[in-house]
Amino acid sequence: MGQEFDRAYWEDRYREHGHGYGAPPNPQLVAEVTGLAPGRALDAGAGTGAEARWLAGQGWEVTAVDISQAALDAARERAAALDTAVAGRITWVRTDLTEEIPGSGFDLVCSHYAHPTGGYRAFFDRLAAAVAPGGTLFIVGHDHADDHGHGHGGSLEHSRVGAAEIAEGLDGREWEVLVSESRSREVDRGGHRAVLHDSVLRARRRA
């Protein structure tokens, strides 16, 4: 049976294990979003805020959303401690993104390794609907080739998704897919090197 990634799971994960505290922003986000003109961004599944802080540091006004209050509390505290100007450009929102998207008309909507209950298709459709004309949808997921699960534990078979699967859900009349590929990268896991496989999608909503 696959792991149920519900609110209780994530509250426990962040409260008891401190997953992701102090981690750098996702390298795929840095590679693909650097150079985009900053505007309003939605960080969907913000965790402890590494991507939100990076985006705010680039000049974006960020709405950082997560299902876990423990994660957001840690993220807000760390952002304020590191740079008050950056922290002032981030709004932290606790909600379940499978039920509610806080706002619309974002110039950038990004999501990293989401594990939505109820499946990916409806979740990605919600994220895409929140992108403004001319804006960017950027998604990084666990690729089907990924055996490591980024340290979440439990079975992630139902939480893997290929970039092509994400792209297939975007109407070509409304979207221009700029990047849709699997990328591998090495990370340090307690002194051991592990290879992670990311699904990466970047698409622009036609104006």
Side-chain angles (χ1 to χ4, degrees), residues 100-136:
E100 176 189 15
I101 301 292
S104 61
F106 291 98
D107 302 296
L108 170 67
V109 173
C110 61
S111 176
H112 304 85
Y113 313 118
H115 302 76
T117 56
Y120 277 116
R121 187 69 273 141
F123 178 68
F124 291 148
D125 286 348
R126 283 175 174 270
L127 296 187
V131 179
T136 296

Side-chain angles (χ1 to χ4, degrees), residues 125 128-135 137 169-177 203-207:
D125 286 348
V131 179
L137 177 67
L170 298 176
D171 187 336
R173 295 169 298 181
E174 296 184 21
W175 292 91
E176 179 185 6
V177 176
R204 185 184 65 86
R205 190 167 198 168
R206 300 186 191 276

